[in-house]
Amino acid sequence: MRYPSGLNKEFIKEKRFDNRGMNLEDDLNITNDYYLYNNIACIYKKPTPIKIVKVDYPNRSNSKITEAYFKIPSTTDYNGIYKGKYIDFEAKETQSLNFPLENIHDHQIKHLNTVYSMGGIAFIIVYFSKTSDIYLLEIKEFNNFINTNHRKSIPITYFKDKGYKLEYKYNPRIDYLKIIDTIINMEVSNEKENKKD
Amino acid sequence: MRYPSGLNKEFIKEKRFDNRGMNLEDDLNITNDYYLYNNIACIYKKPTPIKIVKVDYPNRSNSKITEAYFKIPSTTDYNGIYKGKYIDFEAKETQSLNFPLENIHDHQIKHLNTVYSMGGIAFIIVYFSKTSDIYLLEIKEFNNFINTNHRKSIPITYFKDKGYKLEYKYNPRIDYLKIIDTIINMEVSNEKENKKD
């Protein structure tokens, strides 16, 4: 039986949800769509950076790129605005129980630190496919690990201790802004504490 | 005479600067590099969104895209963080003395309004090549025009009246954050006024 294309898509998504076989990027995009649609936040995945070499113009309205190459991204994948705050993060999947540091570029770490130093909220989201766990780790905790360890990967236990576990739900799929609320509230109470001193 | 490639580039840029023949995108990128390098702001142009259809993998490290198409962007070209605030804008050039509204997609206008409603700073930058003038127009003034006019373009006089003129300098090339300072200060004093009432 052939479903109308829309229904079919929904059906496939539903199936994937039941099987808990997830694709982090797709699920974050669906989550961000939910946030946007409900006027909660405006966060997008940036397009993949590409160096275009050759373009064919068969006619006025169509142009076909016939030679192009992937470029190394200069920033992270996701950014946007939530409660007036600038949000910036990178999302990664790993099959290991240790997150390999080579999975994230040095300039992406530098970028997250720049954002953090300018008052933005910067973090990484890592999906450990072996255990189906998703964690959010703030850039400051990421730095703490790098500065006190010489390992080439961050063990999942560090994410458990210093990060936040993200639940996988139906809607919103991965509600990471709930954690951002916690982080914002902590910042506010820290500021109050500092003013008292 | 052949210059070392770096010097040559600088030479070309210098020449272009003298001739006042500008390319808005390049000049904004150079401006944003300046802001980043001096730790003033972290604002980037998003990559052009592309739908990749075919990729050749001649070897492990290289992959060549052999068929791809341009996609309509879902957001604006530039976004980032300045003084803890989320910044979002679209930049356009026109050879006319009226900025054609068809130059900016409806969903980009919608996006700028979403950002504005969430507490971000949203605007457009338009370069009028005929007079070499660059203007910054806040999204709220853009809306005012659309809501009170039935014209298909915004005349440069409206930009003069309701927008901010941007000077073209050597470094930073187009110092639009100076205007953003003015906008932030006005917002702060408006908030104070509202609290008084």
Side-chain angles (χ1 to χ4, degrees):
Chain A
M1 189 183 165
R2 289 191 103 214
Y3 293 87
S5 59
L7 272 179
N8 203 2
K9 249 192 203 162
E10 207 43 54
F11 175 77
I12 293 164
K13 273 182 197 165
E14 201 76 38
K15 201 160 173 280
R16 194 161 60 72
F17 183 80
D18 287 341
N19 291 342
R20 287 286 190 278
M22 68 169 268
N23 172 303
L24 185 62
E25 183 181 321
D26 284 354
D27 287 318
L28 285 172
N29 288 342
I30 293 167
T31 304
N32 289 335
D33 285 350
Y34 173 90
Y35 288 148
L36 186 64
Y37 185 80
N38 291 286
N39 232 10
I40 296 166
C42 181
I43 296 164
Y44 280 93
K45 184 181 181 295
K46 288 187 190 175
T48 308
I50 281 162
K51 187 184 162 64
I52 298 166
V53 177
K54 257 188 224 160
V55 183
D56 268 4
Y57 300 94
N59 57 53
R60 272 200 131 200
S61 63
N62 274 311
S63 34
K64 181 179 165 182
I65 299 160
T66 55
E67 188 182 349
Y69 300 91
F70 293 101
K71 285 202 293 189
I72 294 173
S74 31
T75 64
T76 46
D77 269 355
Y78 299 86
N79 75 350
I81 182 170
Y82 173 56
K83 291 188 174 172
K85 298 224 167 238
Y86 177 81
I87 305 289
D88 200 302
F89 66 99
E90 184 66 22
K92 293 289 178 194
E93 297 192 29
T94 179
Q95 295 183 315
S96 161
L97 290 180
N98 299 292
F99 173 68
L101 290 174
E102 61 174 22
N103 277 16
I104 187 160
H105 297 295
D106 282 349
H107 59 266
Q108 292 183 314
I109 297 166
K110 201 182 158 196
H111 172 76
L112 288 169
N113 275 299
T114 304
V115 165
Y116 181 59
S117 73
M118 290 181 178
I121 295 173
F123 52 93
I124 59 169
I125 290 178
V126 178
Y127 171 54
F128 294 90
S129 61
K130 202 174 263 176
T131 59
S132 291
D133 287 326
I134 318 164
Y135 286 100
L136 185 155
L137 189 70
E138 286 179 86
I139 189 64
K140 62 178 180 191
E141 297 296 350
F142 182 92
N143 294 338
N144 280 346
F145 183 87
I146 292 189
N147 295 337
T148 51
N149 284 275
H150 295 283
R151 295 182 56 167
K152 284 181 179 173
S153 62
I154 308 179
I156 191 168
T157 49
Y158 187 81
F159 285 85
K160 271 182 200 166
D161 287 351
K162 303 290 180 182
Y164 299 87
K165 195 171 183 195
L166 296 171
E167 296 303 328
Y168 192 66
K169 296 188 304 172
Y170 184 68
N171 215 1
R173 211 54 74 91
I174 304 168
D175 193 8
Y176 62 91
L177 290 182
K178 219 167 94 181
I179 304 301
I180 302 308
D181 281 334
T182 310
I183 293 171
I184 293 174
N185 287 338
M186 279 197 309
E187 274 178 9
V188 171
S189 51
N190 282 347
E191 273 167 28
K192 276 185 190 159
E193 277 302 309
N194 289 342
K195 272 183 189 164
K196 266 187 202 165
D197 295 344
Chain B
M1 186 184 165
R2 289 193 103 216
Y3 293 86
S5 59
L7 272 179
N8 204 3
K9 250 191 201 161
E10 206 45 52
F11 176 77
I12 294 165
K13 274 182 195 163
E14 201 77 38
K15 202 160 174 274
R16 192 161 63 70
F17 183 82
D18 287 340
N19 291 341
R20 285 288 190 276
M22 67 169 267
N23 172 303
L24 185 61
E25 184 181 320
D26 284 353
D27 287 318
L28 284 172
N29 289 342
I30 293 167
T31 304
N32 288 336
D33 285 348
Y34 173 90
Y35 288 149
L36 186 64
Y37 185 79
N38 292 284
N39 231 12
I40 296 167
C42 180
I43 297 164
Y44 279 92
K45 185 182 180 295
K46 288 187 189 176
T48 308
I50 280 162
K51 186 185 163 65
I52 298 166
V53 177
K54 257 188 224 158
V55 182
D56 269 5
Y57 300 94
N59 57 53
R60 272 199 132 201
S61 63
N62 274 311
S63 34
K64 181 180 167 183
I65 300 160
T66 55
E67 188 182 349
Y69 301 92
F70 293 101
K71 285 202 293 189
I72 293 173
S74 31
T75 64
T76 46
D77 269 355
Y78 298 86
N79 76 349
I81 182 170
Y82 173 56
K83 292 188 175 172
K85 298 224 168 237
Y86 177 81
I87 305 288
D88 200 302
F89 66 99
E90 185 65 23
K92 293 287 178 195
E93 296 193 29
T94 180
Q95 296 183 314
S96 161
L97 289 180
N98 298 292
F99 173 67
L101 290 174
E102 61 175 21
N103 277 15
I104 187 160
H105 296 295
D106 283 348
H107 60 265
Q108 292 182 314
I109 297 165
K110 201 182 157 195
H111 172 76
L112 288 168
N113 275 298
T114 304
V115 165
Y116 181 58
S117 73
M118 290 182 179
I121 295 173
F123 54 92
I124 60 169
I125 289 178
V126 178
Y127 171 55
F128 294 90
S129 61
K130 201 173 263 177
T131 58
S132 291
D133 286 327
I134 319 164
Y135 285 100
L136 185 155
L137 189 70
E138 286 179 87
I139 189 66
K140 64 178 180 190
E141 296 297 349
F142 182 93
N143 295 338
N144 280 346
F145 183 88
I146 292 190
N147 296 336
T148 51
N149 283 274
H150 296 283
R151 296 183 56 169
K152 284 181 179 172
S153 62
I154 309 179
I156 192 168
T157 49
Y158 188 81
F159 284 85
K160 270 182 201 165
D161 287 352
K162 303 291 180 182
Y164 298 88
K165 196 171 182 189
L166 296 172
E167 297 303 327
Y168 192 65
K169 295 187 303 173
Y170 184 68
N171 215 3
R173 210 55 73 92
I174 304 168
D175 193 9
Y176 62 91
L177 290 182
K178 218 166 96 179
I179 304 302
I180 302 308
D181 280 335
T182 310
I183 292 171
I184 293 174
N185 287 339
M186 280 198 308
E187 273 177 11
V188 172
S189 52
N190 282 346
E191 273 166 27
K192 276 185 191 161
E193 276 302 307
N194 289 342
K195 272 183 190 163
K196 269 187 200 163
D197 295 344

